[in-house]
Amino acid sequence: MASVLCALALLAALAGPICLRLRRDPGFVTGRDGRLSTSIVLALAWTVILVWLLLAILGYGLTAGGGIAYFRGADGPLSTLTTVYLPLLGGPYVALIAAKAVVGLRVEHGSMAKPAAKPTESGRRPLRELIANDSGRTDLVDLQYVVLSAVTMLYVVLFYLADVGGGLPRLPAEMWALTGAPAGAYLVNKMAVRANPVITNVALEDGRLTVEGGGFTPVPTGPPTLLTVDDTPLPTRTDPLTGALTATLPAQGTPPFTVVVTARGLRSDPYRYEPAPKPPVPVPAQQPPTA
């Protein structure tokens, strides 16, 4: 029991400061667009878990394990390191490196839109970005990558705590597939996703509609960019500085409504615009009558 508590304390000592640091400034785990990067977060999580396992095994071996002899032998506490755990870690890191290369090349060649993320009031990024696309809609490929990786991490942590003295848990060699296969699907998704326009924000002020995002530039020989509000096309103008689309909302158009942008024959995800609720007007307190 004491060994389990010590291992948990070590895990908290490793993961706690990292979580606090990322909570204050998540820039370390964001992509080039400012959103949380699924591949970076999962690679970092696997790194923390593997470092924790190695340090916990080292501490146990030098104390309760009896010293250097604990680490020797074909069935020593690190015997499955190269056959299970390094391949288990390899999938997320291959996905991280390859996804960065693929996204960078596609953005450079204009075959993918990666508009900057909308800043949040707190400066923190919502965790939902780990399983969502750039438009904020849940991405099934990202979801399966995160869920299967989290389940595998839970297997590793719980099996180690069940037998701290046994060293690295004797997981099946096929366990690496629970990170390798989702990482491969994640990478293929990055390569195959189309260059659809991406809407990141919609603002309405005095009947003037402003749509921010990326991928709005049409092909010179193709049809112009089309902006629709509840399936009604509106004449649009493009801001030459920001690339945002602006249009005049018809008098009969009242929020909430759905905005869609079509460029180069590709359609964006629908963006539901709802005005922010107005704060309640404070009612002045009545003064009691004077005698």
Side-chain angles (χ1 to χ4, degrees):
M1 186 63 182
S3 299
V4 173
L5 293 178
C6 289
L8 289 174
L10 179 59
L11 179 59
L14 284 175
I18 294 177
C19 292
L20 292 176
R21 171 70 172 80
L22 295 179
R23 182 177 175 84
R24 291 193 299 267
D25 182 13
F28 181 65
V29 291
T30 56
R32 60 188 301 162
D33 55 3
R35 298 177 179 84
L36 289 179
S37 170
T38 304
S39 58
I40 295 177
V41 169
L42 292 181
L44 175 62
W46 274 115
T47 301
V48 171
I49 288 179
L50 186 57
V51 170
W52 166 66
L53 287 172
L54 295 176
L55 290 178
I57 291 171
L58 176 63
Y60 181 89
L62 296 179
T63 55
I68 302 299
Y70 172 72
F71 297 93
R72 295 174 178 169
D75 295 327
L78 302 180
S79 59
T80 58
L81 180 62
T82 58
T83 57
V84 177
Y85 288 90
L86 291 186
L88 202 63
L89 186 65
Y93 268 94
V94 169
L96 167 60
I97 297 170
K100 277 190 173 185
V102 168
V103 171
L105 289 173
R106 294 198 62 186
V107 171
E108 182 179 350
H109 289 86
S111 61
M112 176 182 284
K114 293 294 288 184
K118 181 182 178 182
T120 59
E121 295 181 359
S122 63
R124 302 165 186 162
R125 303 307 309 173
L127 290 177
R128 191 178 183 279
E129 290 180 343
L130 294 177
I131 60 171
N133 60 18
D134 294 342
S135 299
R137 295 166 65 92
T138 300
D139 189 302
L140 181 59
V141 176
D142 289 4
L143 176 62
Q144 60 87 30
Y145 187 23
V146 171
V147 171
L148 289 178
S149 295
V151 170
T152 309
M153 293 178 196
L154 187 62
Y155 262 78
V156 172
V157 172
L158 293 182
F159 271 84
Y160 175 71
L161 294 177
D163 184 14
V164 173
L168 292 175
R170 267 47 175 188
L171 299 175
E174 296 80 8
M175 184 65 76
W176 68 269
L178 286 179
T179 59
Y186 173 82
L187 178 58
V188 171
N189 184 53
K190 292 293 184 184
M191 298 172 63
V193 67
R194 298 189 301 173
N196 292 59
V198 176
I199 301 176
T200 58
N201 187 48
V202 174
L204 179 63
E205 183 176 359
D206 298 330
R208 177 187 172 91
L209 187 69
T210 302
V211 181
E212 300 175 355
F216 298 159
T217 305
V219 178
T221 58
T225 299
L226 177 65
L227 171 65
T228 62
V229 174
D230 285 341
D231 297 326
T232 301
L234 300 180
T236 62
R237 298 178 297 277
T238 303
D239 190 318
L241 296 178
T242 63
L245 301 179
T246 58
T248 301
L249 194 68
Q252 66 272 20
T254 56
F257 48 73
T258 300
V259 180
V260 173
V261 174
T262 303
R264 305 181 303 279
L266 299 174
R267 188 173 183 268
S268 72
D269 287 334
Y271 189 101
R272 186 68 174 173
Y273 173 77
E274 297 182 1
K278 296 182 179 180
V281 179
V283 179
Q286 295 183 352
Q287 296 293 332
T290 58

